[in-house]
Amino acid sequence: MAKSLPINGTDYVEFYVGNAKQAAHFYQSAFGFQPVAYAGLETGLKDRVSYVLRQDKITFVLTGALTPDSPVAEHHKLHGDGVKVIAFWVDDARKSFEETTAKGAKAYKEPYTESDENGDVVLSGIHTYGDTVHIFVERKNYKGDFLPGFVKWEPEYQPVDTGLIYVDHIVGNVGWEKMDTVANFYRDVMGFNQLISFDDKDISTEYTALKSKVMANDNMRIKFPINEPAKGKMKSQIEEYLDFYMGPGPQHVAVATDDIVKTISALRDRGVDFLFVPDTYYDSVTERVGEIEEDIEVLKKHKILIDKDDKGYLLQLFTKPVEDRPTFFFEIIQRKGAESFGKGNFQALFESIEHEQRLRGTL
Ligand code: FE2
């Protein structure tokens, strides 16, 4: 098998938002991210401001516009708050750019070097689905906290973390009949392998349906499930996303914990809203997943979902959308051997999402 493009992991995820200052506060207070770095007017930026937050291996950048003609403002006007950049940590950002563009990727940023007293970073970028982009970050000659151009951000307010440790996977929602095109992009341009596919026969409820393929790199640190809507009786949740995001884009970032009960209860205490899980979900769960280490009553109390595959099981839960539009949300996941994505929970999950869609009148 051909080798995939060498990627060490997710470097950062950058959100374009309507109010970066307030969003940064939300990620600190609700999710327990720690302040790392800042860039804005004080550092010479004219059209945008960025706050960098981190929790263990997860780095988020919240970027807002300072002027109406900023590309950040244009992106936000169209899409609302959402993920703009999924950045890859690579050893060679020039080679990553050359290899991917030679294989058909559309250039976003030609390779360039940024420097400060902490060293050099080489960056480059390509487009992926919708207005989403991938930035290649080569930081082997850099000792700073984030990137050149950023200064340390040290507010007094530093709430404790919630046990989030790394980005497990990032899901993209794409248009009707576009799943294969995007999956093939990751296969042909990045050398990713297809892990799993399922179609509307696997994932559908009375009303909604989707198709999905999971693409991953060789070391499995990058996993991208790609969803497209499928015909159901009523509007698919993927369609609702596409309508409100005004096109394809990242649907959710799954962040891992090694103590999901502790993490979920901390997040709930701090005001994070999760999807409603009916008590009846737990009536048949043991039958479906067999014996697990955790006490089902405890999982039921915290409304945590359980699924299994042939390698083990996983525990997961999904937040409600974290912005005004019903678009992007988070998944909290703890893997206990399982390498899959919770397909068995889709039914229960969909019924719950439909309940929310019904309340919004968008089903
Ligand atoms: Fe997921």
Side-chain angles (χ1 to χ4, degrees), residues 113-156:
T113 304
E114 296 263 27
S115 307
D116 67 11
E117 68 279 9
N118 291 307
D120 305 326
V121 177
V122 185
L123 299 149
S124 63
I126 58 170
H127 288 268
T128 178
Y129 50 83
D131 286 332
T132 318
V133 299
H134 291 308
I135 301 279
F136 299 110
V137 185
E138 174 188 328
R139 51 172 74 257
K140 60 178 187 280
N141 298 315
Y142 192 66
K143 291 185 189 65
D145 287 325
F146 183 57
L147 292 175
F150 285 78
V151 292
K152 233 183 190 24
W153 174 39
E154 292 175 300
E156 269 181 44

Side-chain angles (χ1 to χ4, degrees), residues 168-169 171 225 251-254 316 318 329 331 333 341 346:
D168 186 275
H169 60 273
V171 177
Q251 180 209 40
H252 71 266
V253 171
Q316 65 186 170
F318 302 85
F329 59 86
E331 171 184 347
I333 184 168
F341 299 85
F346 283 22

Side-chain angles (χ1 to χ4, degrees), residues 192-209:
F192 284 17
N193 307 300
Q194 187 182 323
L195 293 188
I196 311 167
S197 99
F198 30 76
D199 61 21
D200 42 330
K201 283 171 218 66
D202 297 317
I203 310 171
S204 67
T205 64
E206 193 185 350
Y207 295 114
T208 194

Side-chain angles (χ1 to χ4, degrees), residues 168-344:
D168 186 275
H169 60 273
I170 301 178
V171 177
N173 280 345
V174 302
W176 295 93
E177 319 277 313
K178 289 289 187 289
M179 173 185 72
D180 285 329
T181 312
V182 176
N184 292 347
F185 167 86
Y186 284 109
R187 183 194 65 195
D188 299 339
V189 168
M190 316 268 289
F192 284 17
N193 307 300
Q194 187 182 323
L195 293 188
I196 311 167
S197 99
F198 30 76
D199 61 21
D200 42 330
K201 283 171 218 66
D202 297 317
I203 310 171
S204 67
T205 64
E206 193 185 350
Y207 295 114
T208 194
L210 66 79
K211 296 181 188 174
S212 189
K213 277 186 177 173
V214 182
M215 305 305 290
N217 74 333
D218 288 346
N219 65 18
M220 300 281 281
R221 290 187 193 160
I222 306 295
K223 286 173 279 188
F224 290 156
I226 307 296
N227 296 335
E228 71 174 33
K231 283 258 177 290
K233 261 195 204 165
M234 294 179 99
K235 189 182 273 189
S236 158
Q237 53 144 317
I238 309 303
E239 224 182 327
E240 184 195 33
Y241 175 101
L242 297 169
D243 286 352
F244 278 92
Y245 199 70
M246 303 299 288
Q251 180 209 40
H252 71 266
V253 171
V255 284
T257 168
D258 46 27
D259 188 345
I260 197 164
V261 171
K262 203 170 145 206
T263 295
I264 294 287
S265 91
L267 293 172
R268 282 193 202 279
D269 284 349
R270 294 158 77 148
V272 176
D273 287 329
F274 290 94
L275 279 190
F276 173 75
V277 181
D279 278 345
T280 49
Y281 170 88
Y282 297 91
D283 296 350
S284 57
V285 77
T286 311
E287 209 174 292
R288 185 163 60 80
V289 301
E291 279 300 306
I292 61 166
E293 282 172 33
E294 291 74 12
D295 182 346
I296 295 287
E297 285 307 313
V298 173
L299 299 180
K300 182 175 175 179
K301 182 178 160 225
H302 294 277
K303 306 281 189 208
I304 292 163
L305 304 169
I306 311 137
D307 196 26
K308 68 155 187 186
D309 61 21
D310 53 348
K311 304 267 172 49
Y313 66 99
L314 62 83
L315 306 165
Q316 65 186 170
L317 190 57
F318 302 85
T319 71
K320 292 186 182 179
V322 291
E323 61 287 302
D324 298 331
R325 301 189 198 186
T327 51
F328 178 84
F329 59 86
F330 287 99
E331 171 184 347
I332 312 299
I333 184 168
Q334 180 177 12
R335 293 189 180 277
K336 296 269 190 148
E339 292 175 0
S340 50
F341 299 85
K343 190 178 98 177

